Amino acid sequence: MVVRKPASRFILFALTAMLLLLLLLLTLSVPARASEPTGEDNPDDDLEGIDELLAVDSELEQESPEDANAKLSEAEVLTRAQRIVLELSTDSYKKVIEKNEYVLLLGYAPWCHRSAELMPRFAEAANSLKELGSPVVMAKLDAERYPKAASSLEIKGFPTMLLFINGTPQIYTGGYSGEGIVIWTRKKTGVPVIRINSVLEAEGFLKKKHIFALGLFDKYEGPDYEEFIKAAQTDNELQFIEVSDVEVARVLFPDVESSNKFLGIVKSEPERYTRFDGAFKMEKILEFLDFNKFPLVTKLTEANSARVYSSPVKLQMFVFAEDDDLKKLLEPLQEVAKKFKSQIMFIFVDITDENLAKPFLTLYGFEETRDIVVAAFDNKISSKYLLEADPTPNNIKDFCSRLLSGALSPYFKSQPIPDNKEASIKVIVGKTFNELVLESPENIFLEVHTPWCINCEATSKQVEKLAKHFKDTDNLVMARIDASANEHPKLQVLDYPTLLFYPASDKTKPIKVSTKLSLKDMANFISKHLKAKGPNSKDEL
């Protein structure tokens, strides 16, 4: 023990000295943190760490996509993708556009909600295009910060996407998902079709794509193949795939028969596979895709609204409901939709989304409702319909059958029937227009107004004075209708206020009365058109 104590103390001392020396060296080698104030700005501060970032990106590019995704969180992947997108300014935008063959530019405003929604999708597309080896330069411009650049590029709304090909711009017309941006951009820059040569490639492709058009051709040549390529170049939304091997085709579309020619559309939903049976002409192919590219039940969003409204399927059935209600209804609704495929488009609208739901619900007078509403539109004749029974699958199926056969009566909104017993001016609603106006044996003087009409209040006061003046006239009824809450096929008024006189002798041709007439002139007009004057009627006020 006496011999070992000095050795133990020496070892402990030596270790302590080494640790202190190591800490001193580390302290001297660590630079000041960027957040600490310094005496002056360093122009190279912005470049600090850039080599490390580039090195990380380089390492990630050498890894397989699976390895990279395993190491990076979703937020980190997005951050990396956003670094790929160039941030343009007034000084740089011309140089970038002039020096690159292809530039896809996103013009945005920081306060714009839709810009904020599109930005991560745009970054996602930039990442995908880079991985695919696309020559397209992805760039964005803050139009609020750089208004001169935005004005020069004719960016007037937000978000705006423009593709520059050798400096010449064209408006973006594709979908607004990351995948949609990639598909459109590749089509416009020379890759309208992806060729798949092996079963392994096909299996990998299926893991990434949710919807695509598949073409099988024994040889990539001939009139049919040329029409397929024309359709691929013309369509702005769908990814087109071409294969020449039947076994490869069956991985993507299992029911492909042994053939030297086939076309179908694949979607990731219950109605997964749809075969094309028409002539291989570009117009027919595009028509087939237009009728079949949407899901059985499409959720309406701001991003797809333009595509939905422009669908060639003119009969559209809408379900307005909250998301939780739709989840319960979705599966049976899809089964109903299968029976009317390509004939009626089924659309779901989140009833809590005021921007999308309220304009539609206003047409039916249900602006404030939170109950499920099932409605339909025939866009060929601009008619609307309402399911007034419970929204069960059987009732919806019957509703759609009658819509398709033309057996449904158009819906015209109406307020509840009011009590007009003591009213000097009868209130007309949609449900009473026939009875109280068109079928009435009396002369009707009708004021058509809306709550938001600026001049309606003054006209209403004139009508009230006329009602007092003619209160003892037996064959005249003074009436008014709120056109914002009531409709009738025989009441087609575009300007408010409007005054209409319906003679008892002919209700089919109402006479329009100018609202600019004086009170006396209005009274004279009515008196002259009364079929028979009552003993107490007056010609002058």
Side-chain angles (χ1 to χ4, degrees):
M1 295 292 292
V2 175
V3 177
R4 291 178 183 176
K5 278 187 179 179
S8 299
R9 290 174 184 171
F10 176 80
I11 292 170
L12 180 61
F13 175 81
L15 287 173
T16 303
M18 289 176 65
L19 286 172
L20 289 172
L21 180 61
L22 181 60
L23 287 171
L24 179 62
L25 290 171
L26 287 171
T27 303
L28 292 173
S29 65
V30 175
R33 287 179 295 174
S35 59
E36 293 177 353
T38 57
E40 58 182 0
D41 292 335
N42 185 348
D44 294 330
D45 279 350
D46 289 342
L47 298 177
E48 186 178 345
I50 190 71
D51 292 335
E52 289 85 349
L53 288 175
L54 291 175
V56 170
D57 279 348
S58 178
E59 289 173 9
L60 289 172
E61 286 167 8
Q62 293 172 10
E63 297 172 345
S64 67
E66 292 80 5
D67 292 338
N69 288 335
K71 292 181 180 180
L72 293 176
S73 69
E74 185 178 347
E76 289 170 329
V77 171
L78 178 59
T79 300
R80 179 195 169 203
Q82 287 173 331
R83 286 203 298 271
I84 299 170
V85 180
L86 298 180
E87 181 73 60
L88 302 186
S89 66
T90 303
D91 296 330
S92 65
Y93 81 94
K94 285 185 179 178
K95 295 176 185 176
V96 171
I97 291 172
E98 289 172 359
K99 288 185 178 181
N100 293 282
E101 182 180 10
Y102 303 115
V103 178
L104 184 61
L105 174 65
L106 169 62
Y108 70 96
W111 46 262
C112 171
H113 173 68
R114 293 191 66 184
S115 293
E117 286 185 338
L118 183 58
M119 199 75 74
R121 300 171 194 162
F122 191 78
E124 177 190 338
N127 199 38
S128 297
L129 286 167
K130 185 176 181 181
E131 288 177 356
L132 291 167
S134 171
V136 178
V137 173
M138 304 288 280
K140 59 185 178 182
L141 176 74
D142 183 339
E144 185 176 68
R145 185 178 180 184
Y146 304 109
K148 289 184 180 179
S151 176
S152 176
L153 295 169
E154 297 189 1
I155 296 174
K156 299 174 182 177
F158 310 109
T160 293
M161 289 172 64
L162 299 168
L163 175 65
F164 292 85
I165 301 179
N166 293 319
T168 302
Q170 60 175 288
I171 295 288
Y172 180 83
T173 56
Y176 286 92
S177 64
E179 183 180 359
I181 295 170
V182 170
I183 291 170
W184 186 89
T185 304
R186 296 191 82 200
K187 284 182 179 236
K188 299 302 178 183
T189 55
V191 191
V193 179
I194 293 176
R195 180 174 294 180
I196 295 181
N197 297 307
S198 70
V199 168
L200 189 62
E201 281 184 62
E203 290 172 344
F205 179 83
L206 274 180
K207 294 177 182 178
K208 298 178 182 178
K209 296 298 179 182
H210 304 297
I211 176 172
F212 56 91
L214 170 68
L216 167 65
F217 299 93
D218 184 35
K219 295 180 180 179
Y220 300 123
E221 59 184 31
D224 292 340
Y225 178 68
E226 289 173 5
E227 293 295 316
F228 174 77
I229 295 297
K230 286 180 187 176
Q233 292 169 332
T234 305
D235 177 86
N236 288 320
E237 298 174 2
L238 282 179
Q239 181 64 66
F240 279 58
I241 304 300
E242 61 181 22
V243 300
S244 61
D245 187 307
V246 173
E247 293 307 315
V248 175
R250 284 175 181 157
V251 173
L252 302 169
F253 199 116
D255 294 335
V256 174
E257 298 174 358
S258 182
S259 169
N260 60 357
K261 182 178 67 176
F262 173 85
L263 175 64
I265 186 170
V266 180
K267 295 181 288 188
S268 56
E269 62 156 279
E271 190 70 26
R272 185 163 174 77
Y273 306 104
T274 307
R275 179 191 302 270
F276 174 66
D277 294 321
F280 271 69
K281 297 293 180 183
M282 180 190 74
E283 296 81 6
K284 293 294 183 182
I285 293 172
L286 292 175
E287 181 181 313
F288 163 75
L289 296 175
D290 279 341
F291 274 87
N292 290 280
K293 65 186 175 184
F294 285 101
L296 287 170
V297 179
T298 299
K299 181 174 181 179
L300 187 69
T301 65
E302 289 190 7
N304 71 9
S305 58
R307 294 168 53 224
V308 169
Y309 300 149
S310 62
S311 168
V313 183
K314 298 306 179 185
L315 293 177
Q316 298 186 335
M317 204 280 296
F318 285 76
V319 176
F320 300 89
E322 294 187 7
D323 277 327
D324 288 342
D325 291 327
L326 180 73
K327 288 175 184 176
K328 301 172 187 174
L329 194 59
L330 182 59
E331 191 171 333
L333 194 60
Q334 287 175 331
E335 291 302 313
V336 175
K338 284 181 184 179
K339 300 180 185 300
F340 300 96
K341 194 175 182 322
S342 301
Q343 297 174 305
I344 300 176
M345 186 175 185
F346 284 67
I347 302 163
F348 161 65
V349 185
D350 183 351
I351 205 167
T352 63
D353 187 335
E354 289 201 354
N355 289 335
L356 292 174
K358 197 164 187 177
F360 286 101
L361 293 173
T362 300
L363 295 174
Y364 293 88
F366 297 144
E367 298 95 318
E368 306 303 325
T369 188
R370 284 294 178 266
D371 297 329
I372 297 175
V373 175
V374 177
F377 291 88
D378 185 341
N379 293 325
K380 290 180 292 186
I381 57 175
S382 300
S383 292
K384 63 181 185 290
Y385 309 87
L386 178 69
L387 174 63
E388 301 191 59
D390 292 335
T392 63
N394 283 337
N395 285 340
I396 293 174
K397 179 183 175 183
D398 179 64
F399 178 70
C400 291
S401 295
R402 290 188 291 130
L403 173 66
L404 192 60
S405 66
L408 279 182
S409 297
Y411 175 81
F412 297 96
K413 64 183 176 181
S414 174
Q415 291 175 306
I417 298 175
D419 182 1
N420 284 314
K421 287 181 182 178
E422 303 298 327
S424 59
I425 301 175
K426 287 189 176 181
V427 175
I428 308 297
V429 296
K431 294 176 181 177
T432 61
F433 191 86
N434 275 343
E435 177 190 353
L436 300 183
V437 177
L438 300 182
E439 297 170 2
S440 170
E442 299 172 301
N443 300 281
I444 309 295
F445 187 84
L446 181 67
E447 171 199 355
V448 186
H449 67 95
T450 65
W452 43 260
C453 162
I454 297 174
N455 299 317
C456 284
E457 186 177 354
T459 299
S460 292
K461 289 179 179 178
Q462 295 281 70
V463 173
E464 287 165 7
K465 291 177 181 178
L466 288 171
K468 289 180 181 179
H469 179 67
F470 289 102
K471 65 179 180 179
D472 296 324
T473 304
D474 295 333
N475 62 339
L476 175 68
V477 173
M478 305 296 289
R480 60 170 47 128
I481 185 169
D482 180 353
S484 71
N486 299 279
E487 297 173 325
H488 192 277
K490 296 295 184 182
L491 183 67
Q492 301 296 323
V493 174
L494 299 176
D495 299 318
Y496 308 103
T498 290
L499 297 175
L500 298 171
F501 182 79
Y502 289 81
S505 58
D506 186 3
K507 296 295 180 69
T508 62
K509 296 178 181 179
I511 302 166
K512 190 172 182 178
V513 182
S514 173
T515 56
K516 295 180 180 180
L517 290 178
S518 67
L519 187 61
K520 183 175 182 179
D521 287 339
M522 285 186 188
N524 287 334
F525 171 88
I526 292 172
S527 296
K528 288 176 183 178
H529 286 84
L530 290 178
K531 186 174 183 180
K533 296 180 182 179
N536 297 321
S537 66
K538 306 171 185 177
D539 286 338
E540 296 183 6
L541 292 174

